[in-house]
Amino acid sequence: VDKVKVAILGATGFTGEKLVEILLKHSKAQAVYLASRILESAPYAQIFTHFSGKTNLNCEPLDIEKAAQISDILFLSLPHTVSMEFAPYLLKKGKKVIDLSADYRLKDTVVYEKYYKVSHKDKVNLKKAVYGMPEIYKKEVKKARLIANPGCYPTSIILALYPLLKQGFIEGKIIADSKSAITGAGRNAITKYPYTDISDNLWVYKAFKHQHVPEVESILKSASNKAVKLLFVPQVIEAKAGIYSTIYVSFKNKVTEEKIRNTYEKYYKNCPFVRLKEDFPKLKETAGTNFCDIGFALTEDGKAAVIASSIDNLIKGAAGCAVQNMNIMCGFEETLGLL
Amino acid sequence: VDKVKVAILGATGFTGEKLVEILLKHSKAQAVYLASRILESAPYAQIFTHFSGKTNLNCEPLDIEKAAQISDILFLSLPHTVSMEFAPYLLKKGKKVIDLSADYRLKDTVVYEKYYKVSHKDKVNLKKAVYGMPEIYKKEVKKARLIANPGCYPTSIILALYPLLKQGFIEGKIIADSKSAITGAGRNAITKYPYTDISDNLWVYKAFKHQHVPEVESILKSASNKAVKLLFVPQVIEAKAGIYSTIYVSFKNKVTEEKIRNTYEKYYKNCPFVRLKEDFPKLKETAGTNFCDIGFALTEDGKAAVIASSIDNLIKGAAGCAVQNMNIMCGFEETLGLL
Amino acid sequence: VDKVKVAILGATGFTGEKLVEILLKHSKAQAVYLASRILESAPYAQIFTHFSGKTNLNCEPLDIEKAAQISDILFLSLPHTVSMEFAPYLLKKGKKVIDLSADYRLKDTVVYEKYYKVSHKDKVNLKKAVYGMPEIYKKEVKKARLIANPGCYPTSIILALYPLLKQGFIEGKIIADSKSAITGAGRNAITKYPYTDISDNLWVYKAFKHQHVPEVESILKSASNKAVKLLFVPQVIEAKAGIYSTIYVSFKNKVTEEKIRNTYEKYYKNCPFVRLKEDFPKLKETAGTNFCDIGFALTEDGKAAVIASSIDNLIKGAAGCAVQNMNIMCGFEETLGLL
Amino acid sequence: VDKVKVAILGATGFTGEKLVEILLKHSKAQAVYLASRILESAPYAQIFTHFSGKTNLNCEPLDIEKAAQISDILFLSLPHTVSMEFAPYLLKKGKKVIDLSADYRLKDTVVYEKYYKVSHKDKVNLKKAVYGMPEIYKKEVKKARLIANPGCYPTSIILALYPLLKQGFIEGKIIADSKSAITGAGRNAITKYPYTDISDNLWVYKAFKHQHVPEVESILKSASNKAVKLLFVPQVIEAKAGIYSTIYVSFKNKVTEEKIRNTYEKYYKNCPFVRLKEDFPKLKETAGTNFCDIGFALTEDGKAAVIASSIDNLIKGAAGCAVQNMNIMCGFEETLGLL
């Protein structure tokens, strides 16, 4: 069988590396082009020596024309504001594009410019971009040519809330207390944090000001048909991988555990990567997987709840979800290469 | 100078061990009696070999009469429901008692019985017990003969909230999302969690149902003169030591950062172990110390805030605070042996 | 295509769990029977909840007749001394057996009895068992009906030494300073080590007395055609996975780096899971893989060397190697399901 | 009582920071001057916020004249090659100097120049410098005006070997397989190692080529009165603190466990910081302490042994030992401020 030919642009970041790892095991896709904004070509297994014995591919200086020529579908694992420089050309050439940056996630360019400090340069494609959260937009993903792959924090928060908001249960502001492994900051950023700063540590950063707030609020608004206010407090923890969000909501009316459980089960019935837990999820159980585990508890009066969701930030929160989107776009089984 | 003679009953738990460690370095107190509910006497440095070269004391089977005879002040680092069997005798003998269990923390015995599943056996002394949080009750501690040393989670939550409640700023329910090192569970309990269960892991447990809820609510009620509703969600994290509480509050009226900062500074002016941070605290900076670090951020509208507090669960959350109480009770400098 | 039907007896240990994980992703083998010495049948994904969404198999009380009936090849991931109770029946029924215990590794039953404290009960099959180290015995593995899968420490030590001994370079005693993740002790044993005992810790145990010494010495003897003396000092480190052996050897004659490098390269030319490194291996680069990474340095006089080898103790050191053996026995590509 | 006035030059490295921490708790010494090669003066508790509430000292740009003026004894926690620029002036001014760099450790300047790549600039004082290992040179330390504080690896290796070499037991080359926490590399160096490179990792570096080899060999030679050959292989491990050396020796004649044990006990009888263990030491038991723990095992034939020693690399391996030297030089109790 002919495999789908894929390119990974930005193959040396944490997300790019995870994409290569997943795609090398994929039975219906073949990585044919790895590129990064580097100066000279080098064997990928020389840059990341743990790939030795797994691939002979080179990682090359990014050549967008070559990328378009030899691949059918392209993952853009590039920094925010860089993706939108390359996506238009690729789309014009008829390629499918899965963008893992924030460039196509926010429909409102004013908000984009507020958080990312540059003007949006590709408003035409922005309008057509599909938010690649398969649990919510599978139909749209199937037909999409440009996917805006969700952010890691938003994935953990939106999947925990969407069914309950869709059902109209929640009222008032929502609090998301999210804990993330340091890898979420990206390969360049984490050089600021030597081992001694992370081990045995934990701290709040960017409280109420993180750039993922508008992404979450806009998707949740589409669920509830009215504005949703999110108080988002991200925290760094010592962990190899993962995001664990504890989310606090109030209900319009008293609810029962059964009602909430049924709502989740019904909504995620056909979602192979969402697991509703009997108890609360454990961060370690989603590490290294594409699963999002969800658990919850109600207050005694049934008027409020804490919902916890757990994902691997680099897999379900980035590379794994991107491959899940590719599977759907290509008509493959949704779980291919991801279980 | 004659040193105060201290006994540690329950010297083999995590808290007892930490007490011994602190007291061995204390210049005005001398550990004269270490006991545990063990069968045979053994050198303490044989039970915990890292004490070799530091102490020649034995750890003995608990003999309450001997304990009373040779010591002036006694730390009860015993399981809940056990302390109240020994405290009455010691108090009758005129000794000072610092109890690190929950037995004398809850004035309401109905609540005590609900959470600890036994009837309270010492209601007489319960009435006189002083809640040993020096930042709030220093005057009372000074004169106390029986101290109920605060729980670890309550310490981190109460210190973060007390000044703001006292000032009447807060309204509505309060959410405390607290993360604790596994040592908080005690030496016996953690044998259930081998290394592989803790490393890279994090999970919610006892959501809304933890036994520390009534302890916090009763103290906070005394600050605000009305009932306070706490939604408390404890979590286990991978860390050697510490509790980090991320606390969410709403304000009656819009506040400014300056106003909140001034309130804390004024209230904790004479509290050597509370540090108000410019930014958010880091768990690691309080590990191994008796400090409680506090930081906060307001929402843009000034109507809500996140407050984070960080302590070492075994020191400020247990043994360190107990020694701080001893210092105050004995007329020593509050920080002696703790800086 | 019809898949090979496999059974895993002892599916609830660390190794059994890893076997299930690997086999669920294998394209030409299908786990049809999971059993353990438990009392009642239960969904495997209920025992290990992280398997939820991956398999619907039950784990059943071990029924050796049923196991033989429904499977073609059986992995015995049972404690030492237990495997040899079940293997004879399975072999009689014409099944292929891969035993991950020590029961069929030592041809000398006197030595077996010295280290494992029981008489060997299956000397007939012991004679026919093939030591399943594919890098050395691939031909024998291909025809084998009973595989003695190597121990974890032996794998890391033998692969580092075999080519050099075969070539006759080494003389005198060999020192192996090996560091292992605690998971090597097995699921039952590690409950003795709570998190606080492992984190930030490292210690020597069973110096010169570990049961893996005779296993290594007997294989190395077959390489060098004379007795080899191994001084083996195992150590526990804080790590999620892996064994790192630092091995010290003396040479009969002065050697060059090139000569040693060539020897390894020639010997492991067709071994997809041995990687000779330019520099020293890193434990992390083999974690989660079936690779054995090897690096070395010579002393200035070329008369001695340190060789370091790194593996994942549960994969190349157990489950991964077992599947590699299965692949060879079944005529599959050696790397199938392992890259 | 008047306290000894101490200065710490190089107060912002890991070692300098640990010195400050120890000296702030010392009852007979007072830190009066903290300096670093920085541009502007700043509160020390602002540079390292965890010192907030503990000290109001500033850290100042290094002014050697001021340092000499206001202090009696100076700790030089400066990079190699920098200490020897400042020491001569301080000695001329009659000050006592404890140098924690390598500048005064190697009497042979040819060797110094080979490893540190610069000519030695202070051969006069080099001759008079005392190697500050109190367990061996206490008499000399007492009278010294310039201390060369030992390196971290050398401390762990020399203390394990000295008595046995002194007694003439050992013959042939010695192998030291040492594992160190990353902090040993110094604050600047570790920025090259983000959290993800250290966690779950372990690797050999500078095998046989580390700059600490000649330091160890020269001290051991003085014990055995003949050249000693050390094969030293350092390794980085994941741990907050510590060095664990496993050392392999051969004996001239068969020895017994009792003989070795007695030799250690006799030699270290008056050494409060050496603990001979019944079993092997554990890295964690020396973390945060000034102890060096030693344990050993003999081969069955009594002709060889493995000796393991464990220290905290920043305390017994640097700052703690420096304060121990200060105590001896000032006539204080050797353990003051260190237990």
Side-chain angles (χ1 to χ4, degrees):
Chain A
V1 208
D2 272 4
K3 292 183 175 186
V4 165
K5 295 194 179 79
V6 303
I8 295 155
L9 310 187
T12 56
F14 280 131
T15 302
E17 188 186 351
K18 189 60 79 180
L19 270 169
V20 175
E21 196 183 312
I22 294 171
L23 288 166
L24 284 177
K25 299 183 183 185
H26 200 284
S27 60
K28 297 193 175 167
Q30 184 181 6
V32 295
Y33 186 68
L34 308 183
S36 188
R37 294 176 307 154
I38 50 174
L39 295 180
E40 286 188 42
S41 189
Y44 195 67
Q46 189 176 296
I47 302 175
F48 298 117
T49 54
H50 69 93
F51 277 100
S52 160
K54 293 182 180 173
T55 181
N56 294 318
L57 278 172
N58 277 343
C59 185
E60 309 179 13
L62 205 167
D63 173 343
I64 195 68
E65 293 180 20
K66 180 174 176 189
Q69 230 159 23
I70 66 174
S71 55
D72 309 314
I73 187 161
L74 297 99
F75 293 90
L76 271 50
S77 186
L78 297 162
H80 309 309
T81 76
V82 176
S83 278
M84 63 186 169
E85 293 177 18
F86 294 111
Y89 174 84
L90 297 170
L91 291 164
K92 215 173 58 190
K93 289 286 176 183
K95 303 296 164 182
K96 285 175 178 167
V97 174
I98 297 173
D99 177 34
L100 290 95
S101 84
D103 284 359
Y104 296 95
R105 291 178 195 155
L106 297 169
K107 296 296 184 193
D108 185 335
T109 57
V110 175
V111 176
Y112 179 86
E113 286 159 23
K114 177 181 167 195
Y115 280 92
Y116 297 95
K117 312 296 178 200
V118 297
S119 302
H120 203 288
K121 295 174 189 156
D122 185 23
K123 296 181 187 177
V124 174
N125 289 310
L126 176 58
K127 279 195 199 111
K128 306 178 198 157
V130 169
Y131 191 71
M133 189 166 283
E135 289 74 14
I136 299 176
Y137 300 111
K138 197 180 297 188
K139 268 186 212 163
E140 292 81 355
V141 168
K142 201 169 285 186
K143 293 175 291 186
R145 292 198 28 237
L146 171 59
I147 293 286
N149 211 62
C152 50
Y153 284 123
T155 297
S156 79
I157 299 169
I158 293 168
L159 288 174
L161 290 168
Y162 201 88
L164 306 190
L165 281 162
K166 192 80 185 174
Q167 214 62 24
F169 293 159
I170 293 173
E171 75 169 3
K173 65 187 176 212
I174 294 167
I175 290 170
D177 186 286
S178 295
K179 302 91 181 169
S180 175
I182 191 67
T183 51
R187 177 161 268 132
N188 292 328
I190 72 159
T191 60
K192 285 182 292 185
Y193 300 100
Y195 179 74
T196 46
D197 284 6
I198 301 296
S199 68
D200 292 330
N201 215 348
L202 183 158
W203 70 91
V204 168
Y205 70 103
K206 290 191 188 174
F208 306 139
K209 290 175 183 166
H210 195 281
Q211 66 275 14
H212 282 162
V213 170
E215 181 180 337
V216 176
E217 286 184 344
S218 72
I219 301 299
L220 294 185
K221 184 180 172 184
S222 78
S224 63
N225 284 318
K226 61 166 192 252
V228 169
K229 179 70 189 161
L230 177 75
L231 301 189
F232 174 49
V233 175
Q235 286 151 85
V236 173
I237 55 168
E238 178 178 13
K240 297 321 156 295
I243 286 177
Y244 196 97
S245 292
T246 30
I247 300 165
Y248 299 89
V249 298
S250 299
F251 298 116
K252 265 177 223 158
N253 306 300
K254 181 176 159 47
V255 299
T256 62
E257 198 189 308
E258 198 192 359
K259 190 174 185 176
I260 300 297
R261 188 164 291 278
N262 288 346
T263 302
Y264 278 120
E265 278 173 355
K266 193 176 150 199
Y267 198 86
Y268 289 133
K269 200 173 39 183
N270 297 315
C271 295
F273 292 115
V274 176
R275 300 189 293 199
L276 189 66
K277 310 291 288 183
E278 291 300 313
D279 198 342
F280 281 94
K282 296 195 159 188
L283 185 65
K284 200 165 190 167
E285 297 208 340
T286 56
T289 83
N290 197 50
F291 287 104
C292 175
D293 285 358
I294 296 173
F296 68 93
L298 303 185
T299 52
E300 234 176 325
D301 64 6
K303 295 280 288 174
V306 56
I307 308 160
S309 72
S310 178
I311 61 167
D312 184 308
N313 55 324
L314 296 179
I315 304 182
K316 184 57 179 165
C321 183
V323 172
Q324 189 180 352
N325 281 315
M326 178 194 80
N327 285 342
I328 294 168
M329 292 164 89
C330 295
F332 304 151
E333 203 175 342
E334 189 172 344
T335 57
L336 206 65
L338 293 168
L339 276 189
Chain B
V1 209
D2 273 4
K3 292 184 174 184
V4 165
K5 294 194 181 80
V6 303
I8 296 153
L9 310 187
T12 54
F14 280 130
T15 301
E17 187 186 352
K18 190 59 82 179
L19 271 168
V20 176
E21 196 183 311
I22 294 171
L23 288 165
L24 285 177
K25 299 182 183 185
H26 200 283
S27 60
K28 298 192 174 169
Q30 185 183 5
V32 296
Y33 185 69
L34 308 182
S36 187
R37 295 176 306 154
I38 50 176
L39 295 179
E40 286 188 43
S41 189
Y44 195 66
Q46 189 176 296
I47 301 174
F48 299 116
T49 55
H50 69 94
F51 277 100
S52 162
K54 294 182 181 175
T55 182
N56 294 318
L57 280 172
N58 277 343
C59 186
E60 308 180 13
L62 205 167
D63 173 343
I64 194 67
E65 294 180 20
K66 180 173 176 191
Q69 233 159 20
I70 66 173
S71 54
D72 308 315
I73 187 161
L74 297 99
F75 293 91
L76 272 52
S77 186
L78 298 161
H80 310 307
T81 77
V82 177
S83 278
M84 63 186 170
E85 292 177 18
F86 295 111
Y89 175 82
L90 297 170
L91 291 165
K92 215 172 58 188
K93 290 285 176 184
K95 304 297 165 183
K96 287 176 177 164
V97 174
I98 297 173
D99 177 34
L100 290 96
S101 85
D103 284 0
Y104 296 95
R105 291 180 194 155
L106 298 169
K107 296 296 184 193
D108 184 335
T109 56
V110 175
V111 176
Y112 178 87
E113 287 159 23
K114 177 182 167 196
Y115 281 92
Y116 297 95
K117 313 295 177 201
V118 297
S119 303
H120 204 287
K121 295 174 190 157
D122 185 21
K123 295 179 188 178
V124 175
N125 290 309
L126 176 59
K127 280 195 196 109
K128 306 177 199 158
V130 169
Y131 190 71
M133 190 167 283
E135 289 74 13
I136 299 175
Y137 300 110
K138 198 181 297 188
K139 269 186 210 162
E140 292 80 354
V141 167
K142 201 170 285 187
K143 295 175 290 187
R145 291 196 32 235
L146 172 58
I147 293 287
N149 211 62
C152 51
Y153 284 123
T155 297
S156 78
I157 298 170
I158 293 169
L159 288 174
L161 289 169
Y162 201 88
L164 307 189
L165 281 162
K166 192 78 183 174
Q167 214 60 24
F169 292 160
I170 293 173
E171 74 168 4
K173 65 188 176 209
I174 294 168
I175 291 168
D177 186 285
S178 295
K179 299 90 180 171
S180 175
I182 191 69
T183 53
R187 177 160 268 131
N188 292 329
I190 73 159
T191 58
K192 283 182 294 184
Y193 300 100
Y195 179 74
T196 45
D197 283 6
I198 302 295
S199 69
D200 292 329
N201 215 347
L202 184 157
W203 71 89
V204 168
Y205 69 103
K206 288 191 190 175
F208 307 138
K209 290 176 183 167
H210 195 279
Q211 66 275 14
H212 282 163
V213 170
E215 182 180 337
V216 175
E217 286 184 344
S218 72
I219 301 298
L220 294 185
K221 184 180 173 185
S222 78
S224 63
N225 285 317
K226 61 166 195 254
V228 169
K229 179 69 188 162
L230 177 75
L231 301 190
F232 175 48
V233 175
Q235 286 150 80
V236 173
I237 54 168
E238 177 178 15
K240 297 321 159 292
I243 286 176
Y244 196 96
S245 290
T246 321
I247 300 166
Y248 299 89
V249 297
S250 299
F251 298 118
K252 265 176 221 156
N253 307 299
K254 182 176 157 50
V255 299
T256 62
E257 198 188 307
E258 199 192 0
K259 191 174 187 176
I260 299 297
R261 188 163 290 279
N262 289 345
T263 302
Y264 278 121
E265 278 173 356
K266 194 176 148 198
Y267 198 86
Y268 289 132
K269 201 172 39 184
N270 297 315
C271 295
F273 291 116
V274 176
R275 300 189 293 201
L276 189 65
K277 310 293 286 182
E278 292 299 314
D279 198 343
F280 282 93
K282 294 194 162 188
L283 185 66
K284 198 164 190 167
E285 296 209 340
T286 56
T289 84
N290 197 50
F291 288 104
C292 175
D293 286 357
I294 297 173
F296 67 93
L298 303 184
T299 50
E300 237 176 321
D301 64 7
K303 296 279 289 173
V306 57
I307 308 161
S309 73
S310 177
I311 62 168
D312 185 308
N313 56 324
L314 295 179
I315 303 182
K316 184 57 179 165
C321 184
V323 172
Q324 189 181 350
N325 281 317
M326 178 195 80
N327 285 343
I328 295 168
M329 292 163 88
C330 295
F332 304 151
E333 203 175 343
E334 190 173 343
T335 58
L336 208 63
L338 293 169
L339 275 189
Chain C
V1 209
D2 271 4
K3 292 183 175 185
V4 165
K5 293 194 180 78
V6 303
I8 296 155
L9 310 187
T12 56
F14 280 132
T15 302
E17 187 186 351
K18 189 60 80 179
L19 271 169
V20 175
E21 197 183 310
I22 294 171
L23 289 165
L24 285 177
K25 298 181 184 188
H26 200 284
S27 60
K28 297 193 175 166
Q30 184 181 6
V32 296
Y33 184 68
L34 308 182
S36 188
R37 294 175 308 154
I38 50 175
L39 295 180
E40 285 189 42
S41 188
Y44 195 67
Q46 188 176 295
I47 301 175
F48 299 117
T49 54
H50 69 94
F51 277 99
S52 160
K54 294 182 181 175
T55 181
N56 294 319
L57 279 171
N58 277 344
C59 185
E60 307 180 14
L62 206 167
D63 174 343
I64 195 67
E65 294 181 20
K66 180 173 176 191
Q69 230 159 22
I70 66 173
S71 54
D72 308 314
I73 187 160
L74 297 99
F75 294 91
L76 271 51
S77 187
L78 297 162
H80 310 308
T81 77
V82 177
S83 277
M84 62 185 170
E85 293 177 19
F86 295 112
Y89 175 83
L90 297 170
L91 291 164
K92 215 174 57 191
K93 289 285 175 184
K95 302 297 164 182
K96 288 176 177 164
V97 174
I98 298 174
D99 177 33
L100 290 96
S101 84
D103 283 0
Y104 295 96
R105 291 179 195 155
L106 298 169
K107 296 295 185 195
D108 185 335
T109 56
V110 175
V111 176
Y112 179 86
E113 285 159 24
K114 178 182 166 195
Y115 280 92
Y116 296 97
K117 312 297 176 199
V118 298
S119 303
H120 203 288
K121 296 175 188 155
D122 185 22
K123 295 179 187 177
V124 175
N125 290 309
L126 176 58
K127 279 193 199 114
K128 306 178 199 158
V130 169
Y131 190 70
M133 190 167 282
E135 288 74 14
I136 299 176
Y137 300 110
K138 198 180 299 189
K139 269 186 210 161
E140 292 81 355
V141 168
K142 201 169 284 187
K143 295 175 290 188
R145 291 197 30 236
L146 171 59
I147 292 287
N149 211 62
C152 50
Y153 284 124
T155 297
S156 78
I157 298 169
I158 294 168
L159 288 175
L161 290 168
Y162 202 89
L164 306 189
L165 281 162
K166 192 80 185 174
Q167 213 62 23
F169 293 159
I170 292 173
E171 74 169 4
K173 65 188 176 211
I174 293 167
I175 291 169
D177 187 285
S178 295
K179 300 91 180 170
S180 175
I182 191 67
T183 52
R187 177 160 269 131
N188 292 329
I190 72 160
T191 60
K192 286 182 291 186
Y193 301 101
Y195 179 75
T196 46
D197 283 7
I198 301 296
S199 68
D200 292 329
N201 216 348
L202 184 158
W203 70 92
V204 168
Y205 70 102
K206 290 192 190 173
F208 307 139
K209 292 176 182 166
H210 195 280
Q211 66 275 11
H212 282 162
V213 169
E215 181 180 339
V216 175
E217 287 185 343
S218 72
I219 301 298
L220 294 185
K221 185 181 173 184
S222 77
S224 62
N225 283 317
K226 62 167 193 254
V228 169
K229 178 70 189 161
L230 178 74
L231 301 191
F232 174 48
V233 175
Q235 287 152 79
V236 173
I237 55 168
E238 178 179 12
K240 297 321 156 295
I243 285 177
Y244 196 97
S245 289
T246 322
I247 300 167
Y248 299 89
V249 297
S250 298
F251 297 117
K252 265 178 222 156
N253 306 299
K254 181 176 158 50
V255 299
T256 62
E257 199 189 306
E258 198 193 359
K259 192 175 185 176
I260 300 297
R261 188 164 290 279
N262 288 344
T263 303
Y264 279 120
E265 277 173 356
K266 192 177 149 197
Y267 198 87
Y268 289 133
K269 201 173 40 184
N270 297 315
C271 296
F273 292 115
V274 176
R275 299 188 293 198
L276 188 66
K277 309 292 288 183
E278 290 301 313
D279 198 343
F280 281 94
K282 296 194 160 189
L283 185 65
K284 200 165 189 166
E285 296 208 341
T286 55
T289 83
N290 197 50
F291 288 103
C292 175
D293 285 358
I294 296 173
F296 67 93
L298 303 184
T299 52
E300 237 176 319
D301 64 8
K303 295 279 287 174
V306 57
I307 308 160
S309 73
S310 178
I311 61 167
D312 184 308
N313 56 324
L314 296 178
I315 303 182
K316 184 58 180 165
C321 183
V323 172
Q324 188 182 351
N325 281 317
M326 178 194 80
N327 285 342
I328 294 167
M329 293 164 88
C330 295
F332 304 152
E333 203 176 343
E334 190 172 344
T335 56
L336 206 64
L338 293 169
L339 276 188
Chain D
V1 207
D2 272 4
K3 292 184 174 183
V4 165
K5 295 194 179 78
V6 304
I8 295 153
L9 309 187
T12 55
F14 280 131
T15 302
E17 186 186 352
K18 189 60 80 180
L19 271 169
V20 176
E21 195 183 311
I22 294 172
L23 289 166
L24 285 177
K25 298 182 182 184
H26 200 283
S27 60
K28 298 192 174 168
Q30 184 182 5
V32 295
Y33 185 68
L34 308 182
S36 188
R37 294 176 307 154
I38 50 174
L39 295 180
E40 287 188 42
S41 189
Y44 195 67
Q46 190 176 296
I47 300 174
F48 299 117
T49 55
H50 69 94
F51 278 99
S52 160
K54 294 182 181 175
T55 182
N56 294 317
L57 280 171
N58 276 344
C59 185
E60 307 179 13
L62 205 168
D63 173 343
I64 194 69
E65 294 181 20
K66 181 174 176 191
Q69 232 160 23
I70 65 174
S71 55
D72 308 316
I73 187 161
L74 297 99
F75 292 91
L76 272 51
S77 186
L78 297 162
H80 310 308
T81 78
V82 177
S83 278
M84 62 185 171
E85 293 177 17
F86 294 112
Y89 175 83
L90 297 170
L91 292 165
K92 215 173 59 190
K93 289 286 176 185
K95 303 298 165 182
K96 287 177 177 163
V97 173
I98 297 173
D99 177 33
L100 291 95
S101 85
D103 283 0
Y104 295 95
R105 291 179 196 156
L106 297 170
K107 296 296 185 194
D108 185 336
T109 56
V110 175
V111 176
Y112 179 86
E113 286 159 24
K114 178 182 166 194
Y115 281 92
Y116 296 97
K117 313 296 176 200
V118 297
S119 304
H120 203 287
K121 295 175 188 158
D122 184 21
K123 296 180 187 178
V124 175
N125 289 310
L126 176 58
K127 282 195 197 108
K128 306 177 199 158
V130 169
Y131 190 71
M133 191 167 281
E135 289 74 14
I136 300 176
Y137 301 111
K138 197 181 297 188
K139 270 185 210 161
E140 293 81 354
V141 167
K142 200 170 284 184
K143 295 176 291 188
R145 292 198 30 237
L146 172 58
I147 293 287
N149 211 63
C152 50
Y153 283 124
T155 297
S156 79
I157 298 169
I158 294 169
L159 288 174
L161 290 169
Y162 201 89
L164 306 189
L165 281 162
K166 192 80 184 174
Q167 213 60 25
F169 293 160
I170 294 174
E171 74 169 4
K173 65 188 178 210
I174 294 168
I175 290 169
D177 186 285
S178 296
K179 301 90 181 170
S180 174
I182 190 68
T183 53
R187 177 161 268 131
N188 291 329
I190 72 160
T191 59
K192 284 182 294 187
Y193 300 101
Y195 178 74
T196 45
D197 283 7
I198 302 296
S199 68
D200 292 329
N201 215 347
L202 184 157
W203 70 91
V204 168
Y205 70 102
K206 289 191 190 175
F208 307 138
K209 292 176 183 166
H210 195 279
Q211 66 275 13
H212 281 163
V213 169
E215 182 180 339
V216 175
E217 287 185 343
S218 72
I219 301 299
L220 294 185
K221 184 181 173 184
S222 78
S224 63
N225 285 317
K226 61 166 194 252
V228 169
K229 179 69 189 161
L230 177 74
L231 301 190
F232 174 48
V233 175
Q235 285 150 85
V236 174
I237 55 168
E238 178 178 15
K240 296 322 159 292
I243 286 176
Y244 196 96
S245 291
T246 30
I247 300 166
Y248 299 88
V249 297
S250 298
F251 298 116
K252 266 177 221 156
N253 305 300
K254 180 175 157 53
V255 299
T256 62
E257 198 189 307
E258 198 191 0
K259 191 174 185 176
I260 299 296
R261 187 164 291 279
N262 288 345
T263 302
Y264 278 120
E265 276 173 357
K266 194 176 148 199
Y267 198 86
Y268 289 132
K269 201 173 40 184
N270 297 314
C271 295
F273 292 116
V274 176
R275 299 188 293 200
L276 189 65
K277 310 292 287 183
E278 292 300 313
D279 198 342
F280 282 93
K282 295 195 161 187
L283 185 65
K284 198 164 191 168
E285 295 208 342
T286 56
T289 84
N290 197 50
F291 288 104
C292 174
D293 285 359
I294 296 172
F296 67 93
L298 304 183
T299 52
E300 236 176 323
D301 64 8
K303 295 280 288 172
V306 58
I307 308 160
S309 73
S310 177
I311 61 167
D312 185 307
N313 56 324
L314 295 178
I315 303 182
K316 184 58 179 164
C321 184
V323 172
Q324 190 181 350
N325 281 316
M326 178 195 78
N327 285 343
I328 294 167
M329 293 164 88
C330 295
F332 304 151
E333 203 175 342
E334 189 173 343
T335 56
L336 207 64
L338 292 168
L339 276 188

